[in-house]
Amino acid sequence: MDLSNRVAIVTGSGRGIGRAIALKLAGAGATVVVTDIADPQTVADEVRALGRDSLSVAADVSSAADVARLTEAAISAYGRIDILVNNAGITRDQLLMRMSEEDWDRVLAVNLKSVFLCTKAAVRHMVKQRWGRIVSMASIVGIVGNAGQANYAAAKAGIIGLTKTVSREVASRGITANAIAPGFIDTQMTQKLEEAQRQELMKRIPAGYLGTPGDVAEAVAFLASEEAKYITGQVLSVDGGIGL
Ligand code: NAP
């Protein structure tokens, strides 16, 4: 995959899957704008150590003002946005009957509204360029549901509907929009699980282990490449077979 001369924005790239995506895209030649709720300067330094340019921006992706500032920073530094990876996400798990309205709203805002805001801001530039790649992080939970995650599952299912719609709206402009549905990936998000839950989970994964952030980053790099130009509106599962 050659992403030389491409400019990418990766949200939630301070750690975990987002960090791995930023480093993978940089390794393939892209300039990467790394952004997280706290300024991810160390990841920008890691990108630069790979010989690529990088800008780090602190932004809450659920805030329209922050997203506008983020995209303006990318445009003023590099003049274009070729690749947008909507990766930032949170969980606030609780059974539906006990779920607070606040936890519902926050999870929907960070996981779903953010994808609307970032995509709307970036696609304007992609349309002018007649080239763009939008890759959004859904989840297996958005496909099959999961007890205790009504807010998260609704947000991730929403990303899939949003992705399919955007893909139809911009396909004629050389822009693709796809989603990735990770299964269980070894990051801080899944490290919250108790050991017994992890062991139980492992038995249900045909591959027999939790995926790595790098496994997801490989799929993102492909969908962001020129080679994936005829793939749009799809949901690519990266899940060791658990969703089969
Ligand atoms: P993670 O380790 O928790 O990283 C998520 C990153 O997003 C954190 O750096 C977090 O920053 C940032 N973030 C949270 N709220 C934000 C906001 N409002 N604005 C900007 N950044 C924000 O999670 P991960 O496991 O790498 O997950 C990455 C994505 O993959 C998420 O969308 C997640 O839902 C999805 N996913 C993960 C798995 C899995 O098994 N790990 C499975 C399926 C899907 P702070 O920590 O500072 O808040």
Side-chain angles (χ1 to χ4, degrees):
M1 245 64 74
D2 180 11
L3 301 180
S4 307
N5 303 319
R6 299 290 180 205
V7 176
I9 297 178
V10 184
T11 71
S13 46
R15 64 166 197 243
I17 294 171
R19 172 180 167 271
I21 293 167
L23 298 180
K24 178 71 197 174
L25 299 186
T31 294
V32 187
V33 178
V34 292
T35 178
D36 209 302
I37 201 144
D39 192 344
Q41 280 181 27
T42 54
V43 180
D45 289 342
E46 289 181 281
V47 168
R48 288 187 202 108
L50 293 169
R52 307 297 166 206
D53 204 353
S54 185
L55 179 70
S56 72
V57 180
D60 176 348
V61 286
S62 68
S63 151
D66 279 19
V67 169
R69 188 171 44 75
L70 166 66
T71 44
E72 276 156 27
I75 291 295
S76 76
Y78 304 117
R80 54 190 298 123
I81 300 169
D82 300 294
I83 299 163
L84 169 67
V85 184
N86 290 306
N87 167 78
I90 57 165
T91 53
R92 287 200 184 168
D93 299 351
Q94 187 56 270
L95 291 173
L96 177 84
M97 282 192 288
R98 291 191 203 132
M99 187 174 284
S100 68
E101 187 178 348
E102 189 201 347
D103 282 354
W104 171 272
D105 286 345
R106 190 64 191 148
V107 168
L108 268 288
V110 175
N111 292 46
L112 180 57
K113 183 183 175 192
S114 64
V115 180
F116 160 70
L117 293 174
C118 293
T119 302
K120 188 177 171 191
V123 89
R124 206 158 59 86
H125 302 283
M126 293 175 176
V127 164
K128 284 189 209 140
Q129 295 159 193
R130 297 209 149 253
W131 200 96
R133 297 284 182 270
I134 301 159
V135 183
S136 302
M137 221 42 75
S139 168
I140 185 176
V141 169
I143 300 171
V144 301
N146 193 26
Q149 292 197 305
N151 48 5
Y152 185 77
K156 295 303 189 183
I159 287 177
I160 293 172
L162 174 56
T163 296
K164 287 178 184 285
T165 299
V166 171
S167 71
R168 289 178 185 272
E169 292 185 7
V170 297
S172 64
R173 313 293 177 92
I175 303 167
T176 69
N178 291 287
I180 290 182
F184 291 88
I185 309 298
D186 200 1
T187 68
Q188 281 192 28
M189 192 176 267
T190 45
Q191 280 154 17
K192 288 184 208 158
L193 295 171
E194 286 172 16
E195 190 49 35
Q197 280 177 297
R198 280 169 78 91
Q199 290 308 324
E200 201 46 47
L201 199 57
M202 226 85 91
K203 286 187 207 148
R204 288 172 39 214
I205 304 171
Y209 59 92
L210 265 64
T212 66
D215 292 332
V216 180
E218 294 290 342
V220 174
F222 171 61
L223 291 173
S225 70
E226 178 60 23
E227 287 81 353
K229 65 180 183 298
Y230 208 54
I231 301 171
T232 196
Q234 300 304 304
V235 184
L236 177 59
S237 291
V238 180
D239 66 0
I242 196 172
L244 286 169

